[in-house]
Amino acid sequence: MARRKKTNKAPKAIASTQSLSAFVKGICDIMRRSNCASALQYVPELTWILFLRILDAQEARDQEKAEVVGASFTPALRAPYRWQDWAAPWSEKPEHPKTPEGKPFGWKRQKLFAAGDGKLFDFINKELLPHLHSLDVDPRTNLSKPGATPKQRIIGRIMTAVEKVRVDSETNLRDILDLVHEISIDHIDDTHFFTLSQVYEDLLLKMGEKNSDGGQFFTPREVIRAMVHTVDPQLGQTVYDPCCGTGGFLAIAYEHIARKLGGQARSKDIDTLKHDTFFGREKENLVLPIALANLVLHGIDQPNLWHGNSLTRRAAYGALFEKAPKQFDVILANPPFGGKEGKDAQKNFAFETSSTQVLFVQDILAELADGGTCAIVLDEGLLFRTNESAFVETKRKLLDECDLWAIVSLPGGVFSAAGAGVKTNLLFFTKGKKTERIWYYDLSHVKMGKKTPLTLAHFGFGKAGDVLPEAQLPATLSAEWSADEANAGKPFPSYATLLPHRGIPQGDSRYSWTVDFAARRAEARAKMQPLLDQSTATRAKVVDLKERLKRLKKDKAPKSEITAVEARIREQDKAARDLEAEAAGIDAQVFDLKAVNPNAVTKVDDRTPMQIIQNIEAQGRIVAQALSRLNALLAAEELVDNDSSMKEPAVAIRAGTRS
């Protein structure tokens, strides 16, 4: 019989995000040496193991609560498929925890261990995984099970991408299970959020590092938090992400609403928040299970996620989305940049284009409820492009149907950690009212780097959405402002400070300004009208010329006369088209929404060519003087070294004489 492994170790108290992060890193290190070399391999593997651990703890907690009030409780999993049966460490000690059936935790694992090498793998691959897959899909028909509970469907979806254990050593797997078992809700001290969810976000970020396909699934969490604080979703509203990736927008919106509810929230409100508030769509097979696990780890017991292509509306799995409304109160999104869609997606939209983000904007406009608000990340190209009809018409629809009340210009490189170097902007709009004024805020002056990412403080927000005092603002944000003597004694105009004053004079500053969009449209119409009037008059001439041509042909006029009229028609027709194109160009230019800061302070070199030459000569003299001094110092040092080397033999001779 195999030697029994002693694993009855007291759970560690994990007191901070940092200590838990280090703990989880240790688990990942084991995975990396066990056939899971990259984050795209070990994150999905850790996801399902971690999920089953937390699920077991949640089920045990829910059962205890039910017993206290005398309610019935039906677990999603039963023996031997629970974590406490096959994964938890085993011990003979009397104080070792017991399952509801009275067996010691880890009894199934110990039984498999005693049966010999390979038996744990056999159980997981041939019994556990097929059972978990079958919770929401009948393996015989491959159709959804009608009687499955929402929790069973979530388990089935999270496990659907797991065909077998990727870790290639049972010894390493047992070590991983032991470590994961120490991560317990009862042994993590965190006064605000479930710390594990934050650590899990760090793991997801690793999927989005440079040269990793995971970059398309990850939006920097600090950017999401700023967007959520701006939109401020409330309990009772539905929150939706049409391209949810790993679920970051939904998870942070949950944190935001839960924080505002506080510790005295009614059970009915908590139930609404955890079951009927958050909805999303995701098409990637790899990412949907991770999104589900991420949301469950954050506390959303029932993530209503739809698996399939949002733009074609082809569903791979839609059972979790059955309670979704047709339109949503809050939409938070970061559509893929630069994607190309086929005709099957384009035909679903009024303005056809292969550009993914343009189609997503049209999709969002259809799914946003009247009075609902959207916060979206969009690339700079969509904002300024006016040379393609779909781009212009999509923006026209947005501005006609919604109040686009804010655009935030982000620094370059915000998404570089997630594999994308595209210049981006945040757009905020509310459906139901035409755009009259757009408030812009410019953060593009902030210098970004891999070790200096954009943080929530750069927006002027604290963690809870409060406005930070100036002393707590990052130096990279306010250094330029503080260096200007004209700003002495003036508070820095941060985004969070000015946001309540957007669209009015108090909201304008060195970094913010307001565009009167209604006036811009009126001005464009005034410029277009003479051109359109000329075009109309020219078209009328064409009609008269065509009538004349008919008569000439009917009267069998000379060919030269007919040819001259035909040429005149072509000439007038072209002139009309040119006038219409010029008017269309003026109209399209209205929808160039790129953030160009009119208040930016630029340093202009007003020196004359002679002054520049003189400055170069002066700098040259400074360099020459510095080189001269350096040469003198080197020469003096060399002289000292030579003198010392000449004296050393004499010292040695004298020392030898004394000895």
Side-chain angles (χ1 to χ4, degrees), residues 216-263:
Q216 62 186 299
F217 313 125
F218 193 88
T219 305
R221 293 306 186 247
E222 297 289 83
V223 173
I224 294 178
R225 288 188 173 92
M227 295 168 71
V228 170
H229 288 327
T230 300
V231 173
D232 191 21
Q234 305 290 317
L235 179 70
Q237 293 182 316
T238 50
V239 182
Y240 171 65
D241 183 350
C243 41
C244 69
T246 56
F249 280 106
L250 302 178
I252 289 172
Y254 168 82
E255 290 179 354
H256 180 88
I257 300 173
R259 184 195 304 111
K260 295 186 77 171
L261 286 177

Side-chain angles (χ1 to χ4, degrees), residues 611-631:
Q611 288 173 323
I612 293 172
I613 291 171
Q614 289 172 350
N615 182 261
I616 293 171
E617 289 176 342
Q619 295 300 320
R621 286 193 294 271
I622 292 171
V623 171
Q625 290 169 4
L627 287 173
S628 177
R629 286 197 299 272
L630 182 59
N631 284 328

Side-chain angles (χ1 to χ4, degrees), residues 197-462:
S197 64
Q198 300 174 45
V199 173
Y200 191 70
E201 286 179 5
D202 293 339
L203 290 177
L204 300 184
L205 176 58
K206 294 182 185 301
M207 291 182 64
E209 288 175 345
K210 192 175 181 182
N211 301 324
S212 164
D213 290 338
Q216 62 186 299
F217 313 125
F218 193 88
T219 305
R221 293 306 186 247
E222 297 289 83
V223 173
I224 294 178
R225 288 188 173 92
M227 295 168 71
V228 170
H229 288 327
T230 300
V231 173
D232 191 21
Q234 305 290 317
L235 179 70
Q237 293 182 316
T238 50
V239 182
Y240 171 65
D241 183 350
C243 41
C244 69
T246 56
F249 280 106
L250 302 178
I252 289 172
Y254 168 82
E255 290 179 354
H256 180 88
I257 300 173
R259 184 195 304 111
K260 295 186 77 171
L261 286 177
Q264 304 301 316
R266 297 179 302 170
S267 59
K268 182 181 177 181
D269 292 340
I270 294 173
D271 189 66
T272 298
L273 186 63
K274 289 177 175 287
H275 296 88
D276 304 319
T277 300
F278 301 98
F279 301 84
R281 299 182 193 267
E282 176 53 43
K283 74 174 183 177
E284 296 294 336
N285 296 334
L286 169 70
V287 178
L288 183 84
I290 293 174
L292 285 167
N294 187 28
L295 297 178
V296 170
L297 289 175
H298 273 79
I300 302 174
D301 292 345
Q302 189 174 320
N304 302 285
L305 299 191
W306 183 89
H307 185 197
N309 189 320
S310 298
L311 300 178
T312 64
R313 282 299 190 265
R314 288 204 191 96
Y317 184 86
L320 294 175
F321 207 69
E322 291 172 346
K323 293 171 62 178
K326 291 185 177 180
Q327 293 184 311
F328 302 90
D329 302 312
V330 176
I331 296 181
L332 302 161
N334 178 11
F337 307 146
K340 298 295 180 184
E341 297 297 326
K343 290 294 182 183
D344 56 337
Q346 296 181 42
K347 68 184 180 184
N348 294 328
F349 298 95
F351 313 120
E352 295 187 17
T353 175
S354 63
S355 296
T356 304
Q357 67 273 39
V358 178
L359 297 181
F360 263 111
V361 171
Q362 294 183 57
D363 183 53
I364 286 168
L365 291 175
E367 295 197 290
L368 187 62
D370 279 346
T373 297
C374 174
I376 185 172
V377 183
L378 289 175
D379 61 294
E380 190 100 296
L382 191 149
L383 263 62
F384 69 72
R385 279 188 63 177
T386 57
N387 60 345
E388 186 177 333
S389 173
F391 281 71
V392 173
E393 295 308 316
T394 298
K395 288 185 282 188
R396 188 195 305 277
K397 183 177 177 67
L398 166 63
L399 292 157
D400 282 347
E401 296 182 1
C402 303
D403 177 17
L404 175 59
W405 44 267
I407 296 178
V408 180
S409 177
L410 297 180
V414 170
F415 289 84
S416 58
V422 180
K423 176 73 173 67
T424 52
N425 301 266
L426 307 181
L427 275 68
F428 301 91
F429 54 87
T430 300
K431 190 173 181 178
K433 178 185 174 184
K434 181 180 285 191
T435 299
E436 299 288 336
R437 300 167 72 79
I438 305 173
W439 181 68
Y440 285 83
Y441 191 90
D442 185 12
L443 278 171
S444 62
H445 67 283
V446 177
K447 302 302 179 186
M448 300 292 306
K450 194 168 185 179
K451 295 183 178 180
T452 55
L454 193 69
T455 67
L456 190 57
H458 283 102
F459 291 88
F461 283 124

